[in-house]
Amino acid sequence: MTTVNRRDFIPDVVWPFDTETDTYGSAVDRATAPEAWDAVVSADVPLVTQWDDGAHAGPEPGRIASSSASMPKAVATMVKAVGAAPGMRVLDVGTGTGYTAALLAEIVGPTGSVVSIEVDERLAETARDNLKRAGVKGVEVITGDGFRGWPAGAPYERIHVTCGMRVIPRQWVRQCEPGARIVMPWGTDYTPHDRLITLIVDDDGTASGRFGVGLSFMKMRAQRLRFDGHASYAPHGWMDSGRRSDSELTLSEARHVTKDEGAFAIGLRVPDCILATAEDDNGAVSIWLYSGRDRSVALAAFGPDTAPTIVQSGPRSLWDEVDEARGWWVARGQPEPERFGLTLRHEEERAWLDDPEGESWNPS
């Protein structure tokens, strides 16, 4: 990272993340504000480089951030986890600006190779220009669907994925050598946050690994969360016909389902469930749950001094599922995300706690 200059890969117009407001601010243009541009490029913050798959124009943030220069600390974490070495063949999924491909090329050196694949044709072309201008050798940028990998460059010894994944393609495993390492941000639809996972490919074609630090990456375009808006799940009057139930949970216990560690475990245990929360000035929390497949919806409203209001509608009783998963997590000592892992065995995917050969289940 001291050898490859990040500035060579940052476009003239970027939208920096504001840590105080937890949002992206207005565009910073190098042409009109060179000092501000230099400051945000030097900072350890993510920079959006494209909104709405390139359809957005103007200085204000768009609707969906579709490409970025990740914060340097996250980049370093990912590249370190990959563990590339001189002479290795690496597949880089999600080229973006080309910066991480350049870092990988610096590591593998002239005896290695990096294939970087980008679904967006304009981004791929810009990355090629960035790499050429920076004098980076040994990177081939492919315009294509990273979900399919790139069999022409296989077998790979490392796969580095720079977009958040919800489904892991078996093609990646099949394109790896035994002992290869696949590193990616992975998560569930329950929350937008991901966890770093490192899968090791075995000689029998399986891949298994444990979760690591928390990360938040833009999702692979084909795996973006599809949420049609609250009203499509909970139309006016839905509570009148909903199923009402009671709960003995306290407000603090209910928060288990919304906080990072509990939410990660619940997302692994309750597939196709989307979480949204709201909290008022008095500390009351409303927990909304939605199922994209069948339009099930649930509301669990907990106040500091009142009995909870729980209403569920649709084929699934989402609150019951989430509450059961919370109980499972509590009964096992509230394990942190690093105690969970995933194993891919041919077409089967299993999540597990502590030991791949122990308690496991299908997370999807």
mmCIF file of all heavy atoms in Angstrom, residues 148-172:
data_model
loop_
_atom_site.group_PDB
_atom_site.id
_atom_site.type_symbol
_atom_site.label_atom_id
_atom_site.label_comp_id
_atom_site.label_asym_id
_atom_site.label_seq_id
_atom_site.Cartn_x
_atom_site.Cartn_y
_atom_site.Cartn_z
ATOM 1 N N ARG A 148 -19.813 -15.821 -12.146
ATOM 2 C CA ARG A 148 -19.409 -16.992 -12.921
ATOM 3 C C ARG A 148 -17.905 -17.249 -12.847
ATOM 4 O O ARG A 148 -17.422 -18.244 -13.383
ATOM 5 C CB ARG A 148 -19.827 -16.814 -14.376
ATOM 6 C CG ARG A 148 -21.333 -16.668 -14.568
ATOM 7 C CD ARG A 148 -21.673 -16.388 -16.019
ATOM 8 N NE ARG A 148 -23.114 -16.231 -16.212
ATOM 9 C CZ ARG A 148 -23.692 -15.892 -17.360
ATOM 10 N NH1 ARG A 148 -22.930 -15.681 -18.426
ATOM 11 N NH2 ARG A 148 -25.002 -15.764 -17.444
ATOM 12 N N GLY A 149 -17.181 -16.323 -12.190
ATOM 13 C CA GLY A 149 -15.744 -16.460 -12.181
ATOM 14 C C GLY A 149 -15.171 -16.233 -13.568
ATOM 15 O O GLY A 149 -15.784 -15.583 -14.422
ATOM 16 N N TRP A 150 -13.993 -16.784 -13.797
ATOM 17 C CA TRP A 150 -13.362 -16.690 -15.119
ATOM 18 C C TRP A 150 -12.561 -17.967 -15.356
ATOM 19 O O TRP A 150 -11.386 -18.074 -15.030
ATOM 20 C CB TRP A 150 -12.470 -15.457 -15.198
ATOM 21 C CG TRP A 150 -11.951 -15.188 -16.585
ATOM 22 C CD1 TRP A 150 -10.655 -15.298 -17.006
ATOM 23 C CD2 TRP A 150 -12.705 -14.800 -17.726
ATOM 24 N NE1 TRP A 150 -10.554 -14.989 -18.339
ATOM 25 C CE2 TRP A 150 -11.806 -14.671 -18.815
ATOM 26 C CE3 TRP A 150 -14.066 -14.532 -17.939
ATOM 27 C CZ2 TRP A 150 -12.227 -14.302 -20.095
ATOM 28 C CZ3 TRP A 150 -14.471 -14.156 -19.212
ATOM 29 C CH2 TRP A 150 -13.569 -14.042 -20.264
ATOM 30 N N PRO A 151 -13.229 -19.002 -15.928
ATOM 31 C CA PRO A 151 -12.572 -20.308 -16.065
ATOM 32 C C PRO A 151 -11.333 -20.278 -16.949
ATOM 33 O O PRO A 151 -10.436 -21.113 -16.777
ATOM 34 C CB PRO A 151 -13.672 -21.198 -16.663
ATOM 35 C CG PRO A 151 -14.716 -20.267 -17.182
ATOM 36 C CD PRO A 151 -14.638 -19.029 -16.374
ATOM 37 N N ALA A 152 -11.252 -19.308 -17.874
ATOM 38 C CA ALA A 152 -10.096 -19.275 -18.766
ATOM 39 C C ALA A 152 -8.794 -19.016 -18.015
ATOM 40 O O ALA A 152 -7.715 -19.393 -18.480
ATOM 41 C CB ALA A 152 -10.305 -18.193 -19.837
ATOM 42 N N GLY A 153 -8.880 -18.371 -16.857
ATOM 43 C CA GLY A 153 -7.682 -18.091 -16.074
ATOM 44 C C GLY A 153 -7.431 -19.085 -14.968
ATOM 45 O O GLY A 153 -6.434 -18.971 -14.241
ATOM 46 N N ALA A 154 -8.324 -20.048 -14.800
ATOM 47 C CA ALA A 154 -8.221 -21.022 -13.718
ATOM 48 C C ALA A 154 -7.127 -22.050 -14.023
ATOM 49 O O ALA A 154 -6.719 -22.215 -15.180
ATOM 50 C CB ALA A 154 -9.573 -21.701 -13.520
ATOM 51 N N PRO A 155 -6.636 -22.775 -13.008
ATOM 52 C CA PRO A 155 -7.085 -22.725 -11.603
ATOM 53 C C PRO A 155 -6.409 -21.600 -10.828
ATOM 54 O O PRO A 155 -5.265 -21.230 -11.120
ATOM 55 C CB PRO A 155 -6.654 -24.090 -11.061
ATOM 56 C CG PRO A 155 -5.414 -24.413 -11.855
ATOM 57 C CD PRO A 155 -5.655 -23.857 -13.229
ATOM 58 N N TYR A 156 -7.142 -21.052 -9.850
ATOM 59 C CA TYR A 156 -6.639 -19.955 -9.033
ATOM 60 C C TYR A 156 -6.189 -20.478 -7.667
ATOM 61 O O TYR A 156 -6.722 -21.454 -7.148
ATOM 62 C CB TYR A 156 -7.725 -18.895 -8.835
ATOM 63 C CG TYR A 156 -8.247 -18.330 -10.136
ATOM 64 C CD1 TYR A 156 -9.475 -18.734 -10.646
ATOM 65 C CD2 TYR A 156 -7.513 -17.398 -10.853
ATOM 66 C CE1 TYR A 156 -9.947 -18.230 -11.848
ATOM 67 C CE2 TYR A 156 -7.973 -16.885 -12.055
ATOM 68 C CZ TYR A 156 -9.194 -17.302 -12.554
ATOM 69 O OH TYR A 156 -9.662 -16.795 -13.745
ATOM 70 N N GLU A 157 -5.232 -19.753 -7.112
ATOM 71 C CA GLU A 157 -4.782 -20.058 -5.760
ATOM 72 C C GLU A 157 -5.409 -19.130 -4.726
ATOM 73 O O GLU A 157 -5.397 -19.430 -3.532
ATOM 74 C CB GLU A 157 -3.264 -19.952 -5.701
ATOM 75 C CG GLU A 157 -2.565 -21.002 -6.557
ATOM 76 C CD GLU A 157 -1.123 -20.659 -6.824
ATOM 77 O OE1 GLU A 157 -0.861 -19.869 -7.752
ATOM 78 O OE2 GLU A 157 -0.260 -21.180 -6.097
ATOM 79 N N ARG A 158 -5.946 -18.012 -5.200
ATOM 80 C CA ARG A 158 -6.647 -17.066 -4.335
ATOM 81 C C ARG A 158 -7.783 -16.420 -5.119
ATOM 82 O O ARG A 158 -7.632 -16.129 -6.309
ATOM 83 C CB ARG A 158 -5.705 -15.962 -3.830
ATOM 84 C CG ARG A 158 -4.550 -16.430 -2.946
ATOM 85 C CD ARG A 158 -5.055 -16.905 -1.599
ATOM 86 N NE ARG A 158 -3.974 -17.183 -0.668
ATOM 87 C CZ ARG A 158 -3.403 -18.370 -0.521
ATOM 88 N NH1 ARG A 158 -3.797 -19.396 -1.276
ATOM 89 N NH2 ARG A 158 -2.441 -18.546 0.370
ATOM 90 N N ILE A 159 -8.917 -16.198 -4.430
ATOM 91 C CA ILE A 159 -10.010 -15.396 -4.988
ATOM 92 C C ILE A 159 -10.327 -14.299 -3.991
ATOM 93 O O ILE A 159 -10.570 -14.567 -2.809
ATOM 94 C CB ILE A 159 -11.262 -16.235 -5.292
ATOM 95 C CG1 ILE A 159 -10.962 -17.264 -6.395
ATOM 96 C CG2 ILE A 159 -12.415 -15.337 -5.722
ATOM 97 C CD1 ILE A 159 -12.154 -18.115 -6.802
ATOM 98 N N HIS A 160 -10.334 -13.060 -4.459
ATOM 99 C CA HIS A 160 -10.559 -11.875 -3.638
ATOM 100 C C HIS A 160 -11.828 -11.197 -4.146
ATOM 101 O O HIS A 160 -11.919 -10.838 -5.323
ATOM 102 C CB HIS A 160 -9.344 -10.950 -3.761
ATOM 103 C CG HIS A 160 -9.507 -9.623 -3.114
ATOM 104 N ND1 HIS A 160 -9.804 -8.478 -3.816
ATOM 105 C CD2 HIS A 160 -9.397 -9.247 -1.807
ATOM 106 C CE1 HIS A 160 -9.861 -7.447 -2.986
ATOM 107 N NE2 HIS A 160 -9.626 -7.893 -1.766
ATOM 108 N N VAL A 161 -12.821 -11.044 -3.281
ATOM 109 C CA VAL A 161 -14.136 -10.545 -3.687
ATOM 110 C C VAL A 161 -14.400 -9.218 -2.994
ATOM 111 O O VAL A 161 -14.363 -9.139 -1.759
ATOM 112 C CB VAL A 161 -15.240 -11.565 -3.329
ATOM 113 C CG1 VAL A 161 -16.594 -11.090 -3.842
ATOM 114 C CG2 VAL A 161 -14.907 -12.937 -3.895
ATOM 115 N N THR A 162 -14.698 -8.182 -3.778
ATOM 116 C CA THR A 162 -14.855 -6.843 -3.211
ATOM 117 C C THR A 162 -16.307 -6.380 -3.178
ATOM 118 O O THR A 162 -16.564 -5.188 -3.047
ATOM 119 C CB THR A 162 -14.023 -5.814 -3.992
ATOM 120 O OG1 THR A 162 -14.520 -5.726 -5.330
ATOM 121 C CG2 THR A 162 -12.565 -6.209 -4.009
ATOM 122 N N CYS A 163 -17.248 -7.297 -3.302
ATOM 123 C CA CYS A 163 -18.664 -6.943 -3.173
ATOM 124 C C CYS A 163 -19.308 -7.883 -2.161
ATOM 125 O O CYS A 163 -18.898 -9.038 -2.014
ATOM 126 C CB CYS A 163 -19.393 -7.021 -4.515
ATOM 127 S SG CYS A 163 -19.118 -8.560 -5.422
ATOM 128 N N GLY A 164 -20.319 -7.381 -1.441
ATOM 129 C CA GLY A 164 -20.995 -8.194 -0.445
ATOM 130 C C GLY A 164 -21.778 -9.315 -1.098
ATOM 131 O O GLY A 164 -22.516 -9.100 -2.060
ATOM 132 N N MET A 165 -21.628 -10.523 -0.569
ATOM 133 C CA MET A 165 -22.279 -11.702 -1.139
ATOM 134 C C MET A 165 -23.382 -12.210 -0.218
ATOM 135 O O MET A 165 -23.270 -12.149 1.011
ATOM 136 C CB MET A 165 -21.255 -12.814 -1.378
ATOM 137 C CG MET A 165 -20.118 -12.430 -2.322
ATOM 138 S SD MET A 165 -20.688 -11.976 -3.972
ATOM 139 C CE MET A 165 -21.433 -13.528 -4.509
ATOM 140 N N ARG A 166 -24.438 -12.723 -0.840
ATOM 141 C CA ARG A 166 -25.508 -13.408 -0.137
ATOM 142 C C ARG A 166 -25.554 -14.881 -0.523
ATOM 143 O O ARG A 166 -25.923 -15.736 0.272
ATOM 144 C CB ARG A 166 -26.860 -12.742 -0.437
ATOM 145 C CG ARG A 166 -26.955 -11.286 0.053
ATOM 146 C CD ARG A 166 -26.916 -11.260 1.554
ATOM 147 N NE ARG A 166 -26.935 -9.922 2.123
ATOM 148 C CZ ARG A 166 -25.866 -9.260 2.548
ATOM 149 N NH1 ARG A 166 -24.679 -9.807 2.436
ATOM 150 N NH2 ARG A 166 -25.975 -8.067 3.088
ATOM 151 N N VAL A 167 -25.192 -15.175 -1.766
ATOM 152 C CA VAL A 167 -25.102 -16.545 -2.279
ATOM 153 C C VAL A 167 -23.706 -16.717 -2.853
ATOM 154 O O VAL A 167 -23.238 -15.877 -3.624
ATOM 155 C CB VAL A 167 -26.167 -16.806 -3.367
ATOM 156 C CG1 VAL A 167 -26.016 -18.216 -3.934
ATOM 157 C CG2 VAL A 167 -27.576 -16.591 -2.817
ATOM 158 N N ILE A 168 -23.039 -17.805 -2.496
ATOM 159 C CA ILE A 168 -21.674 -18.041 -2.950
ATOM 160 C C ILE A 168 -21.712 -19.005 -4.132
ATOM 161 O O ILE A 168 -22.203 -20.134 -4.011
ATOM 162 C CB ILE A 168 -20.811 -18.626 -1.822
ATOM 163 C CG1 ILE A 168 -20.819 -17.692 -0.610
ATOM 164 C CG2 ILE A 168 -19.383 -18.847 -2.306
ATOM 165 C CD1 ILE A 168 -20.126 -18.269 0.601
ATOM 166 N N PRO A 169 -21.190 -18.592 -5.283
ATOM 167 C CA PRO A 169 -21.246 -19.472 -6.457
ATOM 168 C C PRO A 169 -20.287 -20.648 -6.342
ATOM 169 O O PRO A 169 -19.134 -20.497 -5.931
ATOM 170 C CB PRO A 169 -20.848 -18.546 -7.614
ATOM 171 C CG PRO A 169 -20.039 -17.466 -6.970
ATOM 172 C CD PRO A 169 -20.599 -17.286 -5.592
ATOM 173 N N ARG A 170 -20.759 -21.817 -6.719
ATOM 174 C CA ARG A 170 -19.899 -23.000 -6.683
ATOM 175 C C ARG A 170 -18.821 -22.928 -7.758
ATOM 176 O O ARG A 170 -17.797 -23.613 -7.670
ATOM 177 C CB ARG A 170 -20.740 -24.265 -6.857
ATOM 178 C CG ARG A 170 -21.838 -24.454 -5.800
ATOM 179 C CD ARG A 170 -21.276 -24.378 -4.396
ATOM 180 N NE ARG A 170 -22.292 -24.705 -3.404
ATOM 181 C CZ ARG A 170 -23.078 -23.812 -2.799
ATOM 182 N NH1 ARG A 170 -22.971 -22.523 -3.104
ATOM 183 N NH2 ARG A 170 -23.969 -24.182 -1.906
ATOM 184 N N GLN A 171 -19.060 -22.082 -8.795
ATOM 185 C CA GLN A 171 -18.045 -21.942 -9.837
ATOM 186 C C GLN A 171 -16.714 -21.493 -9.255
ATOM 187 O O GLN A 171 -15.655 -21.903 -9.725
ATOM 188 C CB GLN A 171 -18.499 -20.923 -10.901
ATOM 189 C CG GLN A 171 -19.683 -21.381 -11.745
ATOM 190 C CD GLN A 171 -20.986 -20.841 -11.200
ATOM 191 O OE1 GLN A 171 -21.220 -20.893 -9.997
ATOM 192 N NE2 GLN A 171 -21.837 -20.336 -12.074
ATOM 193 N N TRP A 172 -16.758 -20.629 -8.243
ATOM 194 C CA TRP A 172 -15.509 -20.160 -7.648
ATOM 195 C C TRP A 172 -14.720 -21.325 -7.060
ATOM 196 O O TRP A 172 -13.505 -21.413 -7.236
ATOM 197 C CB TRP A 172 -15.793 -19.123 -6.562
ATOM 198 C CG TRP A 172 -16.356 -17.833 -7.067
ATOM 199 C CD1 TRP A 172 -16.493 -17.446 -8.370
ATOM 200 C CD2 TRP A 172 -16.844 -16.756 -6.274
ATOM 201 N NE1 TRP A 172 -17.055 -16.194 -8.437
ATOM 202 C CE2 TRP A 172 -17.275 -15.744 -7.173
ATOM 203 C CE3 TRP A 172 -16.973 -16.539 -4.903
ATOM 204 C CZ2 TRP A 172 -17.824 -14.532 -6.720
ATOM 205 C CZ3 TRP A 172 -17.513 -15.343 -4.457
ATOM 206 C CH2 TRP A 172 -17.931 -14.354 -5.360
#
